[in-house]
Amino acid sequence: MEKLSGTHEGTSVALRAGGPGLRRRHVRLQPDPGRGSVMSTGDDGGEAASRPVLLVEDSDLVARSLVRMFRNTRYEPVVAESAAAAHALLARQDGGGTRFCAALVDRGLPDADGLRLAREIRGNHGLPVAVISGELAPHGEDLPWLMKPFRPHELHALLGSLDVEGLD
């Protein structure tokens, strides 16, 4: 093990332990006299604030891929594999549970029409909603639409375009 010394010893150890992902974030050291320092990390200028996004996607493979796209963002996907699972998560939200900042809904769900579910979430829960689908958006559709396959920057742009409460 390499011995580290100097006034930034803790930061050096933290950056080496945290790997490259930590190097892209702000590292804040708060001195705690007599005990050392408390380190916290954040992204692009401040607090690491997780914004839960309801992700309704029935394909495990697609859901895992989408979850990876959320890495290094301020959003945290909460996956529901069906309309029924989404309804359960939204009921918990309405009862004081996790408050979602937005929802992404797959058009093709096994237990409901994803487009209908997206409209219901927007109307009944007041969330910004977008549809993700392998199909083109129907003519005249007013919901934001992202056609699969898409790249992470397209997902991030979509989330940025939604009127997400608390978004900088």
Side-chain angles (χ1 to χ4, degrees):
M1 185 168 143
E2 182 182 344
K3 182 173 169 71
L4 302 171
S5 61
T7 57
H8 300 291
E9 183 174 297
T11 304
S12 179
V13 170
L15 289 175
R16 288 182 188 178
L22 186 58
R23 290 187 188 107
R24 290 190 293 268
R25 296 174 180 250
H26 288 292
V27 177
R28 186 177 310 114
L29 291 175
Q30 180 66 39
D32 190 356
R35 297 182 62 196
S37 297
V38 175
M39 183 183 80
S40 59
T41 63
D43 56 2
D44 294 352
E47 294 297 314
S50 174
R51 296 181 175 136
V53 172
L54 177 60
L55 174 58
V56 188
E57 172 59 62
D58 62 306
S59 166
D60 184 55
L61 180 65
V62 173
R64 283 187 283 142
S65 176
L66 289 171
V67 166
R68 280 192 298 277
M69 287 186 186
F70 279 92
R71 286 187 184 152
N72 298 320
T73 71
R74 61 185 67 216
Y75 304 103
E76 179 183 346
V78 177
V79 179
E81 68 281 352
S82 65
H87 284 295
L89 288 168
L90 289 163
R92 272 190 244 146
Q93 168 191 270
D94 295 343
T98 299
R99 178 79 185 140
F100 298 107
C101 69
L104 299 177
V105 180
D106 181 22
R107 168 77 191 264
L109 296 172
D111 61 342
D113 174 25
L115 189 53
R116 183 174 295 170
L117 176 64
R119 289 184 182 126
E120 180 184 321
I121 291 171
R122 181 179 64 179
N124 295 344
H125 301 279
L127 290 178
V129 179
V131 176
I132 53 177
S133 177
E135 304 170 12
L136 291 172
H139 180 71
E141 179 53 53
D142 66 337
L143 285 171
W145 199 276
L146 191 56
M147 191 163 164
K148 299 176 194 172
F150 49 84
R151 298 182 182 264
H153 73 273
E154 294 170 301
L155 174 63
H156 301 163
L158 173 71
L159 287 167
S161 73
L162 295 175
D163 186 21
V164 177
E165 184 178 308
L167 199 72
D168 296 334

